[in-house]
Coordinates of all heavy atoms in Angstrom, one line a residue:
A1255 N 35.0 113.0 -17.4 CA 34.7 113.9 -16.3 C 36.0 114.4 -15.7 O 37.0 113.8 -15.7 CB 34.0 113.1 -15.2
N1256 N 35.9 115.7 -15.3 CA 37.1 116.3 -14.6 C 37.3 115.8 -13.2 O 36.3 115.4 -12.6 CB 36.9 117.8 -14.5 CG 36.9 118.5 -15.9 OD1 37.5 117.9 -16.8 ND2 36.3 119.6 -16.0
V1257 N 38.5 115.8 -12.7 CA 38.8 115.3 -11.4 C 39.2 116.6 -10.6 O 39.9 117.4 -11.0 CB 40.0 114.4 -11.4 CG1 40.4 114.0 -10.0 CG2 39.7 113.1 -12.2
I1258 N 38.5 116.7 -9.4 CA 38.8 117.7 -8.4 C 39.6 117.0 -7.3 O 39.0 116.1 -6.7 CB 37.5 118.4 -7.9 CG1 36.7 119.0 -9.0 CG2 37.9 119.4 -6.8 CD1 37.3 120.2 -9.7
V1259 N 40.8 117.5 -7.0 CA 41.6 116.9 -5.9 C 41.5 117.9 -4.7 O 41.8 119.1 -4.9 CB 43.0 116.7 -6.3 CG1 43.9 116.1 -5.2 CG2 43.1 115.8 -7.6
A1260 N 41.2 117.4 -3.5 CA 41.1 118.3 -2.4 C 41.4 117.6 -1.1 O 41.1 116.5 -0.9 CB 39.7 118.9 -2.3
N1261 N 42.0 118.4 -0.2 CA 42.2 118.0 1.2 C 40.8 118.1 1.8 O 40.1 119.2 1.7 CB 43.2 118.8 1.9 CG 43.3 118.5 3.4 OD1 42.5 119.1 4.1 ND2 44.2 117.7 3.8
L1262 N 40.3 117.1 2.6 CA 39.0 117.1 3.1 C 38.7 118.3 4.0 O 37.7 119.0 3.9 CB 38.7 115.8 3.8 CG 37.3 115.6 4.4 CD1 36.3 115.7 3.4 CD2 37.2 114.3 5.1
E1263 N 39.6 118.6 4.9 CA 39.4 119.7 5.9 C 39.4 121.0 5.1 O 38.6 121.9 5.4 CB 40.6 119.7 6.9 CG 40.6 118.5 7.8 CD 39.7 118.5 8.9 OE1 39.3 119.7 9.4 OE2 39.3 117.5 9.4
T1264 N 40.3 121.2 4.2 CA 40.4 122.4 3.4 C 39.1 122.6 2.6 O 38.5 123.7 2.5 CB 41.6 122.5 2.5 OG1 42.8 122.3 3.3 CG2 41.7 123.8 1.7
L1265 N 38.6 121.5 1.9 CA 37.4 121.6 1.1 C 36.2 122.1 2.0 O 35.5 123.0 1.6 CB 37.1 120.2 0.5 CG 35.9 120.1 -0.3 CD1 36.0 121.0 -1.6 CD2 35.6 118.7 -0.7
L1266 N 36.1 121.5 3.2 CA 35.0 121.8 4.0 C 35.1 123.2 4.6 O 34.1 123.9 4.9 CB 34.9 120.8 5.2 CG 34.4 119.4 4.7 CD1 34.4 118.5 5.9 CD2 33.0 119.5 4.1
S1267 N 36.3 123.7 4.7 CA 36.5 125.1 5.2 C 36.0 126.1 4.1 O 35.7 127.3 4.5 CB 37.9 125.4 5.5 OG 38.7 125.5 4.4
L1268 N 35.8 125.7 2.9 CA 35.3 126.6 1.8 C 33.8 126.5 1.7 O 33.2 127.2 0.9 CB 36.0 126.2 0.5 CG 37.5 126.4 0.5 CD1 38.0 125.8 -0.9 CD2 37.9 127.8 0.7
A1269 N 33.1 125.5 2.4 CA 31.7 125.4 2.2 C 31.0 126.7 2.5 O 31.3 127.4 3.5 CB 31.2 124.3 3.2
G1270 N 30.0 127.0 1.6 CA 29.2 128.2 1.8 C 29.9 129.5 1.3 O 29.3 130.5 1.4
T1271 N 31.1 129.3 0.7 CA 31.8 130.5 0.2 C 31.8 130.4 -1.3 O 31.6 129.4 -1.9 CB 33.2 130.6 0.7 OG1 34.0 129.6 0.0 CG2 33.3 130.4 2.2
R1272 N 32.2 131.5 -2.0 CA 32.3 131.5 -3.4 C 33.5 130.7 -3.9 O 33.6 130.4 -5.1 CB 32.3 132.9 -3.9 CG 33.5 133.7 -3.5 CD 33.4 135.2 -3.9 NE 34.5 136.0 -3.3 CZ 35.6 136.4 -4.0 NH1 35.7 136.1 -5.2 NH2 36.5 137.1 -3.3
F1273 N 34.3 130.3 -3.0 CA 35.5 129.5 -3.4 C 35.3 128.0 -3.4 O 36.1 127.2 -3.9 CB 36.7 129.8 -2.5 CG 37.0 131.3 -2.5 CD1 36.7 132.1 -1.4 CD2 37.7 131.9 -3.6 CE1 37.0 133.5 -1.4 CE2 38.0 133.2 -3.6 CZ 37.6 134.0 -2.5
F1274 N 34.1 127.5 -2.9 CA 33.8 126.1 -2.9 C 33.7 125.7 -4.4 O 32.9 126.3 -5.1 CB 32.6 125.8 -2.2 CG 32.4 124.3 -1.9 CD1 33.0 123.7 -0.8 CD2 31.6 123.5 -2.7 CE1 32.9 122.4 -0.5 CE2 31.5 122.2 -2.5 CZ 32.1 121.6 -1.4
P1275 N 34.4 124.6 -4.8 CA 34.4 124.2 -6.2 C 33.0 123.6 -6.6 O 32.3 123.1 -5.8 CB 35.5 123.2 -6.3 CG 35.6 122.6 -4.9 CD 35.2 123.8 -4.0
D1276 N 32.7 123.8 -7.9 CA 31.5 123.2 -8.5 C 31.9 121.7 -8.7 O 32.7 121.4 -9.5 CB 31.2 123.9 -9.8 CG 30.0 123.2 -10.5 OD1 29.3 122.4 -9.9 OD2 29.8 123.6 -11.7
L1277 N 31.2 120.8 -8.0 CA 31.5 119.4 -8.1 C 30.5 118.6 -8.9 O 30.7 117.4 -9.1 CB 31.6 118.8 -6.7 CG 32.7 119.4 -5.8 CD1 32.5 118.9 -4.4 CD2 34.1 119.1 -6.3
K1278 N 29.6 119.3 -9.5 CA 28.6 118.6 -10.3 C 29.2 117.9 -11.5 O 30.0 118.4 -12.2 CB 27.5 119.6 -10.8 CG 26.6 120.1 -9.7 CD 25.5 120.9 -10.3 CE 24.6 121.6 -9.3 NZ 24.3 121.0 -8.1
K1279 N 28.9 116.6 -11.6 CA 29.4 115.7 -12.6 C 30.9 115.6 -12.7 O 31.5 115.4 -13.7 CB 28.8 116.1 -14.0 CG 27.3 116.0 -14.0 CD 26.7 116.3 -15.4 CE 25.2 116.2 -15.3 NZ 24.6 116.5 -16.5
K1280 N 31.6 115.7 -11.5 CA 33.0 115.6 -11.4 C 33.4 114.4 -10.6 O 32.6 113.8 -9.9 CB 33.6 116.9 -10.7 CG 33.2 118.2 -11.3 CD 34.1 118.6 -12.4 CE 34.0 119.9 -13.0 NZ 32.9 120.8 -12.7
I1281 N 34.6 114.0 -10.7 CA 35.2 112.9 -9.8 C 35.9 113.7 -8.7 O 36.7 114.6 -9.0 CB 36.2 112.0 -10.6 CG1 35.4 111.3 -11.7 CG2 36.9 111.1 -9.6 CD1 36.4 110.6 -12.7
L1282 N 35.6 113.4 -7.5 CA 36.2 114.0 -6.3 C 37.2 113.1 -5.7 O 36.9 111.9 -5.4 CB 35.1 114.4 -5.3 CG 35.6 115.0 -4.0 CD1 36.4 116.3 -4.3 CD2 34.4 115.2 -3.0
L1283 N 38.5 113.5 -5.7 CA 39.5 112.8 -5.0 C 39.9 113.5 -3.7 O 40.3 114.7 -3.7 CB 40.8 112.7 -5.9 CG 41.9 111.8 -5.5 CD1 42.8 111.4 -6.7 CD2 42.7 112.3 -4.4
I1284 N 39.6 112.8 -2.6 CA 39.8 113.4 -1.3 C 41.0 112.8 -0.6 O 41.3 111.6 -0.6 CB 38.6 113.1 -0.4 CG1 37.4 113.8 -0.9 CG2 38.9 113.5 1.0 CD1 36.1 113.5 -0.2
E1285 N 41.8 113.7 -0.1 CA 43.1 113.4 0.7 C 42.9 113.8 2.1 O 42.3 114.9 2.4 CB 44.2 114.1 0.0 CG 45.6 114.0 0.7 CD 45.8 115.1 1.8 OE1 45.2 116.2 1.7 OE2 46.6 114.8 2.7
E1286 N 43.2 112.9 3.0 CA 43.2 113.2 4.4 C 44.6 112.9 5.0 O 45.2 111.9 4.6 CB 42.2 112.3 5.2 CG 40.8 112.5 4.8 CD 39.9 111.5 5.5 OE1 39.5 111.8 6.7 OE2 39.7 110.4 5.0
T1287 N 45.0 113.6 6.0 CA 46.2 113.3 6.7 C 46.0 112.5 8.0 O 46.7 111.6 8.2 CB 47.1 114.6 6.9 OG1 46.3 115.5 7.6 CG2 47.5 115.2 5.6
V1288 N 45.0 112.9 8.7 CA 44.8 112.3 10.0 C 43.3 111.8 10.0 O 42.4 112.6 9.7 CB 45.0 113.2 11.2 CG1 44.6 112.5 12.5 CG2 46.4 113.7 11.2
G1289 N 43.1 110.5 10.3 CA 41.8 110.0 10.2 C 41.2 109.5 11.6 O 41.0 108.4 11.8
A1290 N 41.0 110.5 12.5 CA 40.3 110.2 13.7 C 38.9 110.0 13.4 O 38.3 110.8 12.7 CB 40.5 111.4 14.7
F1291 N 38.4 108.8 13.8 CA 37.0 108.4 13.4 C 35.9 109.4 13.6 O 35.1 109.6 12.8 CB 36.7 107.0 14.0 CG 37.2 105.9 13.2 CD1 38.4 106.0 12.4 CD2 36.7 104.6 13.3 CE1 38.9 104.9 11.7 CE2 37.2 103.5 12.7 CZ 38.3 103.7 11.8
S1292 N 36.0 110.1 14.8 CA 35.0 111.1 15.1 C 35.0 112.2 14.1 O 34.0 112.7 13.6 CB 35.1 111.6 16.5 OG 36.4 112.2 16.7
R1293 N 36.2 112.7 13.7 CA 36.4 113.7 12.7 C 36.0 113.3 11.3 O 35.3 114.0 10.6 CB 37.8 114.2 12.7 CG 38.0 115.3 11.7 CD 39.4 115.8 11.7 NE 39.6 116.7 12.9 CZ 40.7 117.2 13.3 NH1 41.8 117.0 12.6 NH2 40.8 118.0 14.3
V1294 N 36.4 112.0 10.9 CA 36.0 111.5 9.6 C 34.5 111.4 9.5 O 33.9 111.8 8.5 CB 36.6 110.1 9.5 CG1 36.1 109.4 8.2 CG2 38.1 110.2 9.4
E1295 N 33.8 110.9 10.5 CA 32.4 110.8 10.5 C 31.7 112.2 10.3 O 30.8 112.4 9.5 CB 31.8 110.1 11.8 CG 30.3 110.0 11.8 CD 29.8 109.3 13.0 OE1 30.5 109.2 14.0 OE2 28.7 108.8 12.9
R1296 N 32.2 113.1 11.1 CA 31.6 114.5 11.0 C 31.8 115.1 9.6 O 30.9 115.7 9.0 CB 32.3 115.4 12.1 CG 31.7 116.8 12.1 CD 32.3 117.6 13.2 NE 33.8 117.7 13.1 CZ 34.6 117.2 14.0 NH1 34.2 116.6 15.1 NH2 35.9 117.4 13.9
N1297 N 33.1 115.0 9.1 CA 33.4 115.6 7.8 C 32.6 115.0 6.6 O 32.1 115.7 5.8 CB 34.9 115.5 7.5 CG 35.7 116.4 8.4 OD1 35.1 117.4 9.0 ND2 36.9 116.2 8.6
Y1298 N 32.5 113.6 6.6 CA 31.8 113.0 5.5 C 30.3 113.2 5.6 O 29.6 113.3 4.6 CB 32.2 111.5 5.4 CG 33.5 111.3 4.7 CD1 34.7 111.2 5.4 CD2 33.6 111.3 3.3 CE1 35.9 111.0 4.8 CE2 34.8 111.2 2.7 CZ 36.0 111.0 3.4 OH 37.2 110.9 2.8
T1299 N 29.8 113.3 6.9 CA 28.4 113.6 7.1 C 28.1 115.0 6.6 O 27.0 115.2 6.0 CB 28.0 113.4 8.5 OG1 28.2 112.0 8.9 CG2 26.6 113.8 8.8
Q1300 N 29.0 115.9 6.8 CA 28.8 117.3 6.3 C 28.7 117.3 4.7 O 27.8 117.9 4.2 CB 29.9 118.2 6.7 CG 29.6 119.6 6.2 CD 30.6 120.6 6.7 OE1 31.4 120.4 7.6 NE2 30.6 121.8 6.1
L1301 N 29.6 116.5 4.1 CA 29.5 116.4 2.6 C 28.2 115.8 2.2 O 27.6 116.2 1.2 CB 30.7 115.6 2.1 CG 32.1 116.2 2.2 CD1 33.1 115.2 1.7 CD2 32.1 117.5 1.3
K1302 N 27.8 114.8 2.9 CA 26.5 114.1 2.6 C 25.3 115.1 2.7 O 24.5 115.2 1.8 CB 26.3 112.9 3.5 CG 25.0 112.1 3.2 CD 24.9 110.9 4.0 CE 23.8 110.0 3.6 NZ 23.8 108.8 4.3
Q1303 N 25.3 115.9 3.8 CA 24.3 116.9 4.0 C 24.3 118.0 3.0 O 23.2 118.6 2.7 CB 24.4 117.5 5.4 CG 24.1 116.5 6.5 CD 22.8 115.9 6.5 OE1 21.8 116.5 6.2 NE2 22.7 114.6 6.7
M1304 N 25.4 118.2 2.3 CA 25.6 119.2 1.3 C 25.2 118.6 -0.1 O 25.3 119.3 -1.1 CB 27.0 119.7 1.2 CG 27.4 120.5 2.5 SD 29.2 120.9 2.5 CE 29.4 121.9 1.0
S1305 N 24.8 117.3 -0.1 CA 24.4 116.6 -1.3 C 25.5 116.4 -2.3 O 25.3 116.2 -3.5 CB 23.2 117.3 -2.0 OG 22.1 117.3 -1.2
I1306 N 26.8 116.5 -1.8 CA 27.9 116.3 -2.7 C 28.0 114.9 -3.3 O 28.3 114.8 -4.5 CB 29.2 116.5 -1.9 CG1 29.3 118.0 -1.3 CG2 30.5 116.2 -2.7 CD1 29.2 119.0 -2.4
F1307 N 27.6 113.9 -2.6 CA 27.7 112.5 -3.1 C 26.6 112.3 -4.2 O 26.7 111.4 -5.0 CB 27.6 111.5 -2.0 CG 28.6 111.7 -1.0 CD1 28.3 111.8 0.4 CD2 30.0 111.8 -1.3 CE1 29.3 112.0 1.3 CE2 31.0 112.0 -0.4 CZ 30.6 112.1 1.0
E1308 N 25.6 113.1 -4.2 CA 24.6 113.0 -5.3 C 25.0 113.8 -6.5 O 24.6 113.5 -7.6 CB 23.2 113.6 -4.8 CG 22.6 112.8 -3.7 CD 21.4 113.4 -3.1 OE1 20.9 114.4 -3.7 OE2 21.0 113.0 -2.0
D1309 N 25.9 114.8 -6.3 CA 26.3 115.6 -7.4 C 27.5 115.0 -8.2 O 27.6 115.2 -9.4 CB 26.8 117.0 -6.9 CG 25.7 117.9 -6.4 OD1 24.5 117.5 -6.7 OD2 25.9 118.8 -5.7
I1310 N 28.4 114.3 -7.6 CA 29.6 113.8 -8.2 C 29.3 112.5 -9.0 O 28.3 111.9 -8.7 CB 30.7 113.6 -7.2 CG1 30.3 112.6 -6.1 CG2 31.1 114.9 -6.5 CD1 31.4 112.2 -5.2
V1311 N 30.2 112.2 -9.9 CA 30.1 110.9 -10.7 C 31.0 109.9 -10.2 O 31.0 108.7 -10.6 CB 30.2 111.2 -12.2 CG1 29.1 112.0 -12.7 CG2 31.6 111.7 -12.5
G1312 N 32.0 110.3 -9.3 CA 32.9 109.3 -8.8 C 33.6 109.9 -7.6 O 33.7 111.1 -7.4
L1313 N 34.1 109.0 -6.7 CA 34.8 109.4 -5.5 C 36.0 108.5 -5.3 O 35.9 107.3 -5.3 CB 33.8 109.2 -4.3 CG 34.3 109.6 -2.9 CD1 34.7 111.0 -2.8 CD2 33.3 109.2 -1.9
I1314 N 37.1 109.1 -5.1 CA 38.3 108.4 -4.7 C 38.8 109.0 -3.4 O 38.9 110.2 -3.2 CB 39.4 108.6 -5.8 CG1 38.9 108.2 -7.2 CG2 40.7 108.0 -5.4 CD1 39.8 108.6 -8.3
I1315 N 39.1 108.1 -2.4 CA 39.5 108.5 -1.1 C 40.9 107.9 -0.8 O 41.0 106.7 -0.9 CB 38.5 108.1 0.0 CG1 37.1 108.7 -0.4 CG2 38.9 108.5 1.3 CD1 36.0 108.1 0.5
S1316 N 41.8 108.8 -0.4 CA 43.1 108.3 -0.1 C 43.1 107.7 1.4 O 42.2 108.1 2.2 CB 44.2 109.4 -0.1 OG 44.0 110.3 0.9
K1317 N 44.0 106.9 1.7 CA 44.1 106.3 3.0 C 44.8 107.4 3.9 O 45.9 107.9 3.5 CB 44.9 105.0 3.0 CG 45.1 104.4 4.4 CD 45.9 103.2 4.3 CE 46.1 102.7 5.7 NZ 47.1 101.5 5.7
P1318 N 44.2 107.8 5.0 CA 44.9 108.8 5.9 C 46.3 108.3 6.3 O 46.5 107.1 6.5 CB 44.0 108.9 7.1 CG 42.7 108.4 6.6 CD 43.0 107.3 5.6
G1319 N 47.2 109.2 6.5 CA 48.5 108.9 6.9 C 48.5 108.3 8.3 O 49.2 107.3 8.7
V1320 N 47.6 108.8 9.2 CA 47.5 108.3 10.6 C 46.0 108.1 10.8 O 45.2 108.9 10.6 CB 47.9 109.4 11.6 CG1 47.7 108.9 13.0 CG2 49.4 109.8 11.3
I1321 N 45.7 106.8 11.2 CA 44.3 106.5 11.5 C 44.1 106.3 13.0 O 44.9 105.6 13.6 CB 43.9 105.2 10.7 CG1 43.9 105.4 9.2 CG2 42.5 104.7 11.2 CD1 43.6 104.2 8.4
D1322 N 43.1 106.9 13.6 CA 42.8 106.8 15.0 C 41.4 106.2 15.1 O 40.4 107.0 14.9 CB 43.0 108.1 15.7 CG 42.6 108.0 17.2 OD1 42.3 106.9 17.7 OD2 42.7 109.0 17.9
A1323 N 41.3 104.9 15.3 CA 39.9 104.3 15.3 C 39.2 104.7 16.6 O 38.0 104.4 16.6 CB 40.1 102.8 15.2
E1324 N 39.8 105.3 17.5 CA 39.2 105.7 18.8 C 38.4 104.6 19.4 O 37.3 104.7 19.9 CB 38.3 106.9 18.5 CG 39.0 108.1 17.9 CD 38.2 109.3 17.6 OE1 37.1 109.1 17.0 OE2 38.6 110.4 17.9
G1325 N 39.0 103.4 19.4 CA 38.4 102.2 20.0 C 37.3 101.5 19.2 O 36.7 100.5 19.7
A1326 N 37.0 102.0 18.0 CA 35.9 101.3 17.2 C 36.4 99.9 16.7 O 37.6 99.7 16.5 CB 35.6 102.2 16.0
N1327 N 35.4 99.1 16.5 CA 35.7 97.7 16.0 C 35.5 97.6 14.5 O 35.1 96.5 14.1 CB 35.0 96.7 16.8 CG 33.5 96.8 16.7 OD1 33.0 97.8 16.1 ND2 32.7 95.9 17.2
F1328 N 35.6 98.6 13.8 CA 35.4 98.6 12.3 C 36.5 99.5 11.7 O 37.2 100.2 12.4 CB 34.0 99.1 11.9 CG 33.6 100.4 12.6 CD1 33.9 101.6 12.1 CD2 32.8 100.3 13.8 CE1 33.5 102.8 12.8 CE2 32.4 101.5 14.4 CZ 32.8 102.7 13.9
S1329 N 36.7 99.3 10.4 CA 37.8 100.0 9.7 C 37.4 101.4 9.2 O 36.2 101.7 9.2 CB 38.2 99.2 8.5 OG 37.2 99.2 7.5
H1330 N 38.4 102.2 8.8 CA 38.2 103.5 8.2 C 37.3 103.3 7.0 O 36.3 104.1 6.8 CB 39.5 104.1 7.9 CG 39.4 105.4 7.2 ND1 39.4 105.6 5.9 CD2 39.4 106.7 7.7 CE1 39.3 106.9 5.6 NE2 39.3 107.6 6.7
E1331 N 37.6 102.3 6.2 CA 36.8 102.1 5.0 C 35.4 101.8 5.3 O 34.4 102.3 4.6 CB 37.4 100.9 4.2 CG 36.7 100.6 2.9 CD 37.3 99.5 2.1 OE1 38.5 99.2 2.2 OE2 36.5 98.8 1.4
D1332 N 35.1 101.0 6.3 CA 33.7 100.7 6.7 C 33.0 102.0 7.2 O 31.8 102.1 6.8 CB 33.7 99.7 7.9 CG 34.2 98.3 7.5 OD1 34.1 98.0 6.3 OD2 34.6 97.6 8.4
L1333 N 33.7 102.8 7.9 CA 33.1 104.1 8.4 C 32.7 104.9 7.2 O 31.5 105.4 7.1 CB 34.0 104.8 9.3 CG 33.6 106.2 9.8 CD1 32.3 106.1 10.6 CD2 34.7 106.8 10.6
V1334 N 33.6 105.2 6.3 CA 33.3 106.0 5.2 C 32.2 105.4 4.3 O 31.3 106.1 3.8 CB 34.6 106.3 4.3 CG1 34.3 107.1 3.1 CG2 35.6 107.1 5.2
R1335 N 32.3 104.2 4.0 CA 31.3 103.5 3.2 C 29.9 103.6 3.8 O 28.9 103.8 3.1 CB 31.7 102.0 3.0 CG 30.9 101.3 2.0 CD 31.4 99.9 1.8 NE 32.8 99.9 1.4 CZ 33.3 99.3 0.4 NH1 32.5 98.6 -0.4 NH2 34.5 99.4 0.1
E1336 N 29.8 103.5 5.1 CA 28.5 103.6 5.8 C 27.8 105.0 5.5 O 26.6 105.1 5.3 CB 28.7 103.4 7.3 CG 27.4 103.6 8.1 CD 26.4 102.5 7.9 OE1 26.8 101.3 7.5 OE2 25.2 102.7 8.2
I1337 N 28.6 106.0 5.5 CA 28.1 107.4 5.3 C 27.9 107.7 3.8 O 26.9 108.3 3.5 CB 29.1 108.4 5.9 CG1 29.3 108.2 7.4 CG2 28.7 109.8 5.6 CD1 30.4 108.9 8.0
V1338 N 28.8 107.3 3.0 CA 28.8 107.7 1.6 C 27.8 106.9 0.7 O 27.2 107.5 -0.2 CB 30.2 107.6 1.0 CG1 30.2 107.8 -0.5 CG2 31.2 108.6 1.7
E1339 N 27.7 105.7 0.9 CA 26.8 104.8 0.1 C 25.4 105.3 0.1 O 24.8 105.5 1.2 CB 26.9 103.4 0.5 CG 28.2 102.7 0.1 CD 28.2 101.2 0.4 OE1 27.4 100.7 1.1 OE2 29.1 100.5 -0.2
C1340 N 24.8 105.4 -1.1 CA 23.4 105.7 -1.2 C 22.6 104.5 -0.9 O 22.9 103.4 -1.4 CB 23.1 106.3 -2.6 SG 24.0 107.7 -3.0
R1341 N 21.6 104.7 -0.1 CA 20.7 103.5 0.3 C 19.3 103.8 0.0 O 18.9 104.9 0.0 CB 20.9 103.2 1.8 CG 22.3 102.8 2.1 CD 22.4 102.6 3.6 NE 23.8 102.4 3.8 CZ 24.3 101.2 4.2 NH1 23.6 100.2 4.3 NH2 25.6 101.1 4.4

């Protein structure tokens, strides 16, 4: 499978345009620089609503350079996993 590497914010800015990449049957590698939990939740939820996690065959997520848990008692990994995992 091909790997698509994208900055999360940049990828989402292309949603709904002809420039959004075809992610079907691809591995998506997402890079984030700042991981404020409210933004992380919003961004990954948008990808979920776009059915991206159903289209891809693999997901690799980099650890953000700066993590802002905004007082949450769970990790960045826990937050992403809660949204991304198919249930």
